[in-house]
C-alpha cells in the first residue's frame, strides 16, 4: 500500500459496472503491489491504472502476452484516452484473477472484448485529473484540457499529471464519461513498437521457463505414449543413478478436461538431469483403449462417414433436385491431418505449495482456469492460489489448457517445495491437445451459365467437445459455423456433419476449425470456377453476391460488402492476373473468421516438385485498427504459420502413439522458404475484431489454388510434403 | 568440475561432463536468455558464440566448452549490440522466445561477413526456427544493420 500522507481516503467504490466484461470502473484498492519508491503517492482510479506522484504511469495488462502484442495494444488504448505520454508508461502483468474480467487469451478476442472498457478506464482517469486541476486552480473544469501528460488551463498554465495525484485521490469517479472522437486518437491506429522489444532482444524477458525460485527443483514427466494409458509399474533404479536426480514419484491422471495425464516424475537439481533420468526409467504401461488408434484407418473411416448421409446442420431449398437438374456436378473429398502447436517455448510451470497456499508462475493463456484447476486439485480456496503470468514463448492455443500447471502443483505438493515442471519438445509434440484431423466431402451443381445451384458440404472431425465430455461423436456449434454460414448466395444449400470419435485429446490451435473449413471452401470454390470457365476472383465475387448484412445476436454482423472489398483489394495489390514468368502462378482465397475479413493472393512457382512461395498479399479488415504494426506482424506470422501447415503439418498415430517427436519429423518453415508478405489493413472505425488467427486460414488454399494453375493438379489433402512437394 | 568462461567471467560448474552447455548456462549459471527449444540441434533457440562461432549449446557437452570463450545474448559483442538496435527499430520479435538465438546466429554471420547477400543471410539463418514467423523482419533487420555499418 502506498504512503498516504494525511489524505483521508474516501471510498471510491461507486461500482460502475461496465457492460463489457463487467469490470468495476472505480475502486481504491492498491492492486498493483509494490511500486517504485515508497515516497511516491499513488493514485489507483481503477484496477488497470496507477498514476504516481512523479508522473510515472503503471498500466495493467491482464491478458497474456504471447506475441500477440496485447501488453502494448490494450494499454495504449488506456493511455490514448487518458492523454498520457507513452514514454511515462510501464506495463505490469496482472495475476490470474477474475477481477480483471475474462483473461482467456484465445479466440482472437482481447481487443474486441476490452477496447471499450479500456477506453473508459483511460477516459475516467482523465476526467478525474481535469477535475483535480480545476479544483486546484479554482477554475471551471470546462476550461481545462488534458494533453500529453499535462492538464492545461485555457490561460496557458499547466500542471503535470503527477502533480495532481493527491487531489485526484479525493475526487469521486464521474458517471458520464466522454470518449475521444476517433479522429483524435494519438496511439490507436498508429504503429507502436512493442513495449517489451528491448527485453526480448537482450534476453532479459522472463518466460515461464526462465522463472527461478530459491531452492527450486526441476521435474520431467514420462507420460504414457497412448492417450489416457496408465502406469502399471516402474523401475527407477537407473534413473536414480543419474547425477543430479533426487527422486522419482508417480502422479495419477486427473480426469478433468484440462487434467494432467499422469505418469512418472523425475525430480532433479537441473533440467538436464531430469530429462536424462526420465530416459532411464523403465515403465510398464496399461495403454488402454486408445491403442486401437491408427491414423490411416481412422482417415478411411472419416472419409466413409462423409460419403454417407450425416447429421443435418442446415438444409435450405432442395439439394437433391438441384443435383438432378444440374448441368454439371462436381465432387471432391478433402482430407486434413492432426496438427500440433509447438510454441517455441514448451509447456512448463513453476509451483510452490506451502501449507494451504500455492504460488504459481506459468506461461498461461488461461490464468484463471489454471488458478481454479490448481485450487481444485489442492482443495484450497481459490484466493489462496497466486497465479503469476510470465511471458509466453508462443501459445497458439496450447497454453489455454492448464494441465501442465496442475502437474507443477502436484509435484510441488509431493516434494514439499518449489518445482519447475518442464516438458521436453518430444513431450510437447506427443502429449498435446491436438488440432482435429478431418475429412470433408464437397459437392456442387452448376447450371449452363456457370452459376452454382446446389452446394453440399459434409464434415467429419473429432470434436473439441470430446475434451470436455468424453463420448461426444459429432462436431457442432462453433466448429461448423464457417460451413453453415458460408457467405454465398446459393439457393439449395446443405451442410451435414459425420460421426467421428476422439482417440487423443482434441484442442484449439490457432484458427481452429477455420483451417479445415477455410481450406475446403476455398479449394472447392476454385475448382468450381475452373469448371465454370470463369476467373476465380470473378467467380468468388459472384458467389458472395449481393451486399448484405447477416443479422446476429451480437453487435458484430457479417457484412458481405466488406468481404468482397478485402478480396478486391488483395487482387488489386497483387496485380491479379498480371503476366508472370513461366511456371509461376497466383492463387487466391478469402475467409471470414474471428469476425474479421481476410483475403490473400499468393504467387508461387513450381519447378521439379519444388514449390516456392514468392509473395503473399494479405488484406485484413478488422474494424478499428488499434496497433497497425502488430496487425501487420500477425499477418506476416500467419503467412508463415499457414505455410508450415501447408507444406509440413502432419501428426499421425500408430497403435495409439504419436509418430512425430521433434522438429526433424514435425517440420517448421524456415527463413529460406519464407515469403515476402505485403499487408494492407482496411481503414475504418467499425468495431475492432480478431487479428491473431484470421490470417491463417486463407494461406493453404491460396497456395494449393496457385499450384493447380501451374501444374493442373489439385491437392485435396495436406501437407504437400506427402506429395514430395516442398 | 568444469571451468566455463561465459560473458567474460569464469564459472565453475559441478555436473556430468556430458551435460550440454545450454543447461550449465541456464540452470547453473543463471543466464536464462539462452533458450531450450528442441534439445536436438534443430531449432537454434540455444545458440551461443563459442570462440566467435555460433553453436547450438544444447549439443555441446560442457567438457568441450571448457576453456572456450562463450558469449550469450546477455554478453558483449559489437555486432550483437548493433543488431539488437535494429531489432528494436523494426519491432522484430513477436513472442520473443526464439530471438536470442536468432540474434546470436546473425551476430556470427556479421562477424564473419561484412556484406552478406540475401542468400548468405537465408543460409545462415536457416539454423533458427521462429514459430511466430518473424523471418521477413529478421532479414530486414540484418540488412538494415549491414547498411548502418557501411555508414
Ligand atoms: S534447443 Fe538447441 S537447437 Fe533447439
Ligand atoms: S518470435 Fe516467437 S518464436 Fe520467434
Amino acid at each position: 500500500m502506498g504512503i498516504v500522507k494525511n489524505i483521508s481516503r474516501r471510498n471510491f467504490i461507486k461500482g460502475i459496472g461496465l457492460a463489457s466484461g463487467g469490470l468495476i470502473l472505480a475502486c481504491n484498492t492498491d492492486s498493483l503491489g509494490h511500486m517504485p519508491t515508497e515516497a511516491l503517492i499513488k493514485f489507483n482510479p481503477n484496477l488497470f491504472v496507477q498514476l504516481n506522484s512523479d508522473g510515472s504511469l503503471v498500466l495493467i495488462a491482464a491478458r497474456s502476452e504471447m506475441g500477440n502484442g496485447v501488453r502494448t495494444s490494450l494499454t495504449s488504448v488506456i493511455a490514448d484516452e487518458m492523454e498520457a505520454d507513452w514514454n511515462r508508461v510501464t506495463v505490469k502483468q496482472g495475476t490470474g484473477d477474475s477481477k480483471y474480467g475474462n483473461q482467456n487469451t484465445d479466440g482472437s478476442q482481447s481487443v474486441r472484448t476490452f477496447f471499450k472498457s479500456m477506453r473508459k478506464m483511460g477516459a475516467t482517469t482523465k476526467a478525474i485529473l481535469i477535475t483535480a486541476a480545476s479544483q486546484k486552480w479554482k477554475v471551471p473544469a470546462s476550461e481545462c484540457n488534458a494533453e500529453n501528460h499535462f492538464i492545461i488551463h485555457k490561460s496557458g498554465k499547466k500542471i503535470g499529471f503527477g502533480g495532481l495525484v493527491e487531489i485526484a485521490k479525493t475526487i469521486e469517479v464521474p458517471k458520464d464519461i466522454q470518449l475521444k472522437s476517433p479522429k483524435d486518437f494519438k496511439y490507436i491506429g498508429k504503429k507502436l513498437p512493442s513495449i517489451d522489444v528491448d527485453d526480448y532482444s537482450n534476453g532479459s524477458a522472463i518466460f515461464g521457463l526462465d522463472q527461478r525460485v530459491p531452492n527450486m527443483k526441476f521435474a520431467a514427466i514420462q507420460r504414457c505414449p497412448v492417450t489416457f494409458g496408465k502406469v502399471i509399474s516402474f523401475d527407477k533404479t537407473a534413473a536414480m543413478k543419474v547425477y543430479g536426480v533426487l527422486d522419482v514419484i508417480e502422479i495419477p491422471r486427473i480426469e478433468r478436461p484440462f487434467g494432467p495425464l499422469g505418469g512418472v516424475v523425475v525430480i532433479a537439481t537441473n533440467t538436464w538431469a531430469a530429462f536424462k533420468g526420465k530416459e532411464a526409467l523403465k515403465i510398464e504401461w496399461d495403454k488402454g483403449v486408445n491403442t486401437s488408434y491408427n491414423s490411416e484407418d481412422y482417415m478411411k473411416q472419416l472419409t466413409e462417414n462423409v460419403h454417407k448421409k450425416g447429421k443435418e446442420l442446415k438444409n435450405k431449398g432442395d439439394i437433391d433436385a438441384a443435383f438432378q437438374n444440374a448441368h454439371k456436378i462436381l465432387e471432391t473429398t478433402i482430407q486434413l491431418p492432426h496438427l500440433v502447436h509447438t510454441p517455441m517455448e514448451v509447456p512448463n510451470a513453476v509451483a510452490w505449495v506451502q501449507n494451504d497456499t500455492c504460488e504459481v508462475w506459468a506461461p498461461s493463456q488461461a490464468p484463471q482456469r489454471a488458478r481454479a484447476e490448481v485450487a481444485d486439485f489442492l482443495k484450497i480456496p481459490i484466493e489462496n492460489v497466486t497465479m503469476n503470468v510470465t511471458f509466453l514463448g508462443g501459445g497458439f492455443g496450447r497454453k489455454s489448457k492448464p494441465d501442465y500447471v496442475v502437474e507443477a502443483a502436484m509435484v510441488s505438493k509431493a516434494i514439499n517445495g518449489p518445482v519447475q515442471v518442464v516438458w521436453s519438445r518430444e513431450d510437447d509434440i506427443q502429449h498435446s491437445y491436438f488440432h482435429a484431423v478431418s475429412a470433408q466431402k464437397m459437392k456442387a451443381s452448376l447450371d449452363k451459365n456457370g452459376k452454382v445451384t446446389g452446394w453440399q458440404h459434409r464434415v467429419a472431425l473429432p470434436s473439441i467437445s470430446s475434451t470436455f465430455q468424453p463420448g461426444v461423436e459429432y462436431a457442432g456449434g462453433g466448429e461448423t459455423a464457417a460451413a453453415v454460414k458460408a457467405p454465398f448466395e446459393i439457393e439449395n444449400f446443405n451442410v451435414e456433419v459425420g460421426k467421428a470419435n476422439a482417440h487423443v485429446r482434441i484442442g484449439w490451435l490457432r484458427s481452429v476449425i477455420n483451417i479445415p473449413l477455410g481450406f475446403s471452401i476455398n479449394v472447392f470454390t476454385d475448382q468450381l470456377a475452373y469448371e465454370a470457365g470463369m476467373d476465380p476472383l470473378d467467380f468468388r465475387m459472384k458467389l458472395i453476391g449481393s451486399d448484405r448484412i447477416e443479422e446476429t445476436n451480437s453487435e458484430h454482423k457479417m457484412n458481405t460488402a466488406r468481404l468482397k472489398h478485402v478480396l478486391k483489394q488483395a487482387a488489386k495489390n497483387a496485380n491479379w492476373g498480371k503476366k508472370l514468368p513461366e511456371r509461376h502462378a497466383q492463387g487466391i482465397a478469402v475467409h471470414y473468421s474471428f469476425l474479421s475479413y481476410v483475403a490473400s493472393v499468393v504467387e508461387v512457382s513450381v519447378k521439379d516438385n519444388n514449390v516456392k512461395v514468392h509473395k503473399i498479399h494479405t488484406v485484413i479488415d478488422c474494424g478499428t485498427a488499434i496497433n497497425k504494426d502488430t496487425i501487420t506482424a500477425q499477418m506476416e506470422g500467419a503467412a508463415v504459420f499457414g505455410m508450415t501447415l501447408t507444406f509440413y503439418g502432419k501428426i499421425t498415430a500408430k497403435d495409439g502413439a504419436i509418430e512425430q517427436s521433434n522438429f526433424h519429423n514435425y517440420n517448421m518453415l524456415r527463413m529460406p522458404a519464407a515469403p515476402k508478405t505485403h499487408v494492407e489493413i482496411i481503414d475504418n472505425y467499425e468495431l475492432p475484431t480478431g487479428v491473431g488467427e484470421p490470417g491463417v486460414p486463407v494461406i493453404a488454399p491460396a497456395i494449393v489454388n496457385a499450384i493447380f494453375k501451374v501444374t493442373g493438379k489439385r491437392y485435396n489433402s495436406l501437407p504437400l510434403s506427402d506429395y514430395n512437394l516442398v | 568440475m568444469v571451468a566455463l568462461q561465459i560473458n567474460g567471467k569464469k564459472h565453475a560448474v559441478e555436473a556430468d561432463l556430458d551435460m550440454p552447455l545450454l543447461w550449465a548456462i541456464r540452470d547453473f549459471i543463471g543466464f536464462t536468455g539462452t533458450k531450450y527449444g528442441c534439445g536436438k540441434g534443430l531449432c537454434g533457440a540455444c545458440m551461443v558464440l563459442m570462440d566467435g562461432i555460433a553453436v547450438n549449446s544444447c549439443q555441446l557437452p560442457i567438457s568441450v566448452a571448457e576453456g572456450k570463450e562463450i558469449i550469450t545474448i546477455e554478453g558483449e559483442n559489437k555486432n550483437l549490440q548493433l543488431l539488437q538496435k535494429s531489432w528494436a527499430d523494426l519491432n522484430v520479435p513477436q513472442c520473443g522466445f526464439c530471438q536470442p538465438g536468432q540474434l546470436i546466429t546473425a551476430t556470427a554471420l556479421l562477424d564473419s561477413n561484412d556484406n552478406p547477400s540475401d542468400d548468405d543471410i537465408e543460409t545462415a539463418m536457416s539454423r533458427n526456427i521462429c514459430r511466430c514467423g518473424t523471418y521477413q523482419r529478421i532479414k530486414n533487420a540484418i540488412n538494415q544493420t549491414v547498411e548502418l555499418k557501411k555508414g
Side-chain angles (χ1 to χ4, degrees):
Chain A
M1 201 62 75
I3 304 280
V4 184
K5 292 181 189 157
N6 295 329
I7 294 171
S8 56
R9 300 198 69 165
R10 295 177 46 185
N11 178 11
F12 297 129
I13 306 185
K14 300 289 181 245
I16 306 174
L18 295 182
S20 114
L23 294 169
I24 305 295
L25 193 49
C27 73
N28 69 352
T29 53
D30 180 352
S31 60
L32 305 177
H34 327 289
M35 280 299 114
T37 63
E38 277 296 301
L40 283 183
I41 303 170
K42 308 167 192 171
F43 169 47
N44 294 94
N46 56 59
L47 276 176
F48 292 81
V49 177
Q50 175 174 304
L51 178 63
N52 297 321
S53 49
D54 65 353
S56 58
L57 178 64
V58 184
L59 300 177
I60 290 283
R63 311 277 295 180
S64 302
E65 180 59 66
M66 50 190 178
N68 46 345
V70 76
R71 277 167 57 89
T72 306
S73 58
L74 279 179
T75 49
S76 76
V77 172
I78 304 178
D80 199 328
E81 282 289 349
M82 204 180 141
E83 301 300 347
D85 176 356
W86 186 245
N87 293 317
R88 308 300 304 274
V89 170
T90 48
V91 174
K92 192 171 185 281
Q93 192 68 36
T95 57
D97 194 321
S98 54
K99 70 185 179 191
Y100 293 122
N102 183 336
Q103 289 179 283
N104 293 340
T105 314
D106 58 20
S108 301
Q109 56 175 330
S110 294
V111 166
R112 81 175 115 111
T113 314
F114 285 91
F115 183 54
K116 266 195 211 150
S117 37
M118 291 304 115
R119 288 184 72 183
K120 287 186 188 168
M121 297 293 168
T124 314
T125 310
K126 178 178 80 177
I128 294 172
L129 291 170
I130 287 178
T131 310
S134 77
Q135 284 184 7
K136 188 179 171 81
W137 293 329
K138 304 200 172 45
V139 298
S142 59
E143 292 179 1
C144 302
N145 244 319
E147 205 183 302
N148 205 31
H149 236 71
F150 284 90
I151 303 295
I152 304 174
H153 182 243
K154 69 172 188 188
S155 66
K157 75 180 151 189
K158 56 196 245 177
I159 181 166
F161 280 2
L164 292 166
V165 159
E166 289 202 45
I167 309 175
K169 289 170 83 87
T170 67
I171 290 167
E172 204 151 314
V173 172
K175 290 229 167 55
D176 295 316
I177 321 154
Q178 192 69 40
L179 296 180
K180 285 170 82 166
S181 154
K183 68 172 183 1
D184 298 328
F185 285 153
K186 194 167 141 198
Y187 305 124
I188 297 169
K190 305 291 180 325
K191 294 187 164 193
L192 219 50
S194 162
I195 195 142
D196 302 306
V197 69
D198 289 330
D199 291 354
Y200 285 147
S201 307
N202 63 25
S204 66
I206 300 296
F207 295 87
L209 219 42
D210 306 329
Q211 189 65 50
R212 298 290 180 260
V213 168
N215 288 320
M216 185 184 94
K217 305 292 183 278
F218 297 82
I221 304 175
Q222 184 64 55
R223 302 166 190 82
C224 181
V226 179
T227 307
F228 303 144
K230 289 192 195 93
V231 178
I232 296 172
S233 65
F234 66 94
D235 173 359
K236 63 179 182 182
T237 323
M240 289 300 291
K241 285 190 187 134
V242 173
Y243 186 76
V245 169
L246 300 168
D247 203 358
V248 176
I249 60 170
E250 187 186 336
I251 55 168
R253 176 184 169 209
I254 297 183
E255 290 193 37
R256 289 170 66 88
F258 301 114
L261 288 166
V264 181
V265 188
V266 178
I267 297 131
T269 57
N270 63 85
T271 318
W272 166 249
F275 282 179
K276 220 179 146 184
K278 184 178 134 192
E279 269 162 36
L281 288 171
K282 291 192 183 61
I283 306 172
E284 199 189 330
W285 300 103
D286 166 7
K287 292 186 177 165
V289 291
N290 290 322
T291 27
S292 65
Y293 191 42
N294 284 296
S295 286
E296 257 178 60
D297 301 343
Y298 189 77
M299 186 54 92
K300 274 187 210 139
Q301 185 61 55
L302 282 191
T303 307
E304 262 174 43
N305 292 356
V306 291
H307 279 268
K308 59 189 182 207
K309 188 153 179 55
K311 209 164 93 179
E312 209 164 75
L313 297 176
K314 172 151 181 160
N315 198 7
K316 191 179 90 177
D318 187 341
I319 193 74
D320 295 331
F323 288 162
Q324 265 157 31
N325 303 327
H327 170 66
K328 260 187 193 165
I329 295 245
L330 222 69
E331 204 179 305
T332 260
T333 304
I334 310 259
Q335 298 172 318
L336 300 173
H338 280 300
L339 301 172
V340 70
H341 322 73
T342 58
M344 235 29 240
E345 179 200 26
V346 288
N348 69 87
V350 174
W352 191 356
V353 179
Q354 286 173 286
N355 304 319
D356 63 345
T357 67
C358 180
E359 184 153 11
V360 173
W361 296 260
S364 174
Q365 289 178 253
Q368 286 172 33
R369 189 182 288 151
R371 188 185 188 207
E373 291 291 322
V374 167
D376 184 86
F377 164 71
L378 293 171
K379 310 235 172 326
I380 58 176
I382 194 154
E383 303 76 48
N384 294 15
V385 179
T386 306
M387 175 70 204
N388 303 291
V389 182
T390 63
F391 281 110
L392 283 71
F396 311 116
R398 174 61 186 94
K399 292 170 186 166
S400 295
K401 298 94 174 174
D403 54 335
Y404 57 98
V405 181
V406 182
E407 285 175 345
M410 292 172 97
V411 180
S412 173
K413 188 180 156 92
I415 67 167
N416 197 18
V419 67
Q420 179 174 59
V421 165
V422 183
W423 288 46
S424 67
R425 179 58 67 195
E426 288 78 6
D427 297 336
D428 173 50
I429 289 180
Q430 303 193 319
H431 304 289
S432 193
Y433 291 80
F434 298 95
H435 170 83
V437 53
S438 61
Q440 302 177 68
K441 200 196 88 172
M442 320 285 299
K443 186 173 175 183
S445 52
L446 292 166
D447 71 9
K448 280 205 195 69
N449 305 318
K451 189 177 159 213
V452 180
T453 54
W455 173 279
Q456 184 179 57
H457 190 170
R458 283 204 196 117
V459 190
L461 63 129
S463 172
I464 278 178
S465 309
S466 62
T467 294
F468 300 89
Q469 211 186 328
V472 168
E473 293 186 314
Y474 290 93
E479 279 177 305
T480 46
V484 171
K485 293 184 178 167
F488 301 146
E489 277 181 326
I490 301 172
E491 243 166 81
N492 307 293
F493 189 91
N494 169 265
V495 178
E496 293 172 5
V497 59
K499 199 167 150 177
N501 293 306
H503 298 282
V504 289
R505 304 189 293 180
I506 303 293
W508 313 279
L509 174 142
R510 188 181 192 178
S511 305
V512 202
I513 190 65
N514 295 288
I515 293 172
L517 296 181
F519 184 78
S520 59
I521 293 171
N522 275 289
V523 166
F524 191 54
T525 308
D526 221 68
Q527 221 170 326
L528 287 170
Y530 282 92
E531 212 52 50
M534 284 172 70
D535 174 83
L537 170 64
D538 300 339
F539 185 81
R540 277 182 174 75
M541 295 294 283
K542 277 222 174 95
L543 204 54
I544 297 169
S546 62
D547 292 356
R548 58 195 187 279
I549 289 169
E550 185 196 301
E551 279 312 316
T552 57
N553 292 331
S554 97
E555 43 179 357
H556 294 95
K557 320 280 178 203
M558 210 279 279
N559 183 338
T560 54
R562 292 170 72 185
L563 190 66
K564 285 187 290 181
H565 186 60
V566 292
L567 195 51
K568 265 190 285 193
Q569 281 306 110
K572 187 172 149 216
N573 296 346
N575 204 351
W576 175 255
K578 72 176 172 187
K579 198 158 166 28
L580 292 167
E582 215 183 316
R583 296 198 65 81
H584 280 237
Q586 290 174 315
I588 194 165
V590 62
H591 192 69
Y592 174 75
S593 61
F594 306 93
L595 307 169
S596 287
Y597 309 80
V598 176
S600 283
V601 172
V602 305
E603 182 187 332
V604 311
S605 64
V606 190
K607 287 167 191 157
D608 311 324
N609 271 6
N610 190 321
V611 180
K612 169 107 186 127
V613 178
H614 297 272
K615 184 97 198 175
I616 298 185
H617 282 92
T618 292
V619 178
I620 177 167
D621 176 350
C622 55
T624 304
I626 308 304
N627 187 340
K628 287 195 172 160
D629 195 59
T630 304
I631 299 168
T632 304
Q634 286 298 310
M635 294 304 110
E636 291 164 1
V640 171
F641 199 93
M643 279 181 66
T644 291
L645 74 90
T646 306
F647 288 100
Y648 305 120
K650 185 179 190 174
I651 289 290
T652 53
K654 190 158 186 264
D655 301 328
I658 301 303
E659 296 183 285
Q660 293 70 26
S661 58
N662 209 318
F663 294 128
H664 62 292
N665 54 13
Y666 192 70
N667 267 310
M668 298 288 122
L669 198 84
R670 291 170 190 259
M671 190 188 278
K676 288 196 178 64
T677 305
H678 173 274
V679 179
E680 181 188 342
I681 302 160
I682 301 292
D683 262 316
N684 62 43
Y685 291 119
E686 302 284 341
L687 295 169
T689 54
V691 170
E693 296 165 274
V696 174
V698 285
I699 301 299
I703 291 172
V704 164
N705 291 343
I707 293 174
F708 168 79
K709 250 198 248 180
V710 182
T711 64
K713 279 199 201 109
R714 285 276 169 204
Y715 297 99
N716 292 331
S717 72
L718 294 178
L720 294 176
S721 53
D722 277 0
Y723 304 97
N724 288 321
L725 280 178
V726 281
Chain B
M1 178 97 89
V2 172
L4 297 170
Q5 177 78 15
I6 300 186
N7 297 334
K9 276 207 188 113
K10 273 226 156 52
H11 299 268
V13 171
E14 180 95 54
D16 256 357
L17 290 181
D18 66 345
M19 182 174 78
L21 177 62
L22 169 67
W23 303 111
I25 294 173
R26 289 183 54 81
D27 294 358
F28 287 74
I29 299 162
F31 286 119
T32 53
T34 305
K35 305 301 186 198
Y36 164 78
C38 70
K40 293 277 154 53
L42 299 163
C43 77
C46 62
M47 207 69 87
V48 299
L49 296 175
M50 181 169 77
D51 288 344
I53 312 285
V55 294
N56 286 320
S57 63
C58 73
Q59 296 301 294
L60 195 82
I62 45 174
S63 55
V64 179
E66 184 159 34
K68 306 268 175 21
E69 178 72 44
I70 308 291
I71 303 280
T72 71
I73 187 70
E74 293 91 347
E76 278 176 37
N77 171 296
K78 222 171 129 222
N79 280 323
L80 174 59
Q81 266 78 63
L82 289 173
L83 285 160
Q84 283 166 328
K85 209 188 147 302
S86 300
W87 247 243
D89 283 351
L90 300 187
N91 201 21
V92 171
Q94 285 187 28
C95 83
F97 194 82
C98 74
Q99 301 298 343
Q102 306 274 6
L103 278 153
I104 292 290
T105 307
T107 300
L109 170 68
L110 295 199
D111 281 350
S112 66
N113 186 344
D114 272 340
N115 197 14
S117 65
D118 270 5
D119 268 0
D120 295 336
I121 295 175
E122 286 175 13
T123 308
M125 299 310 295
S126 67
R127 297 170 71 190
N128 291 70
I129 292 172
C130 175
R131 181 57 155 155
C132 297
T134 62
Y135 299 122
Q136 174 164 316
R137 291 193 188 204
I138 291 173
K139 197 198 281 180
N140 292 344
I142 295 173
N143 275 321
Q144 174 178 308
T145 312
V146 170
E147 290 312 308
L148 278 177
K149 282 179 65 181
K150 286 185 196 157

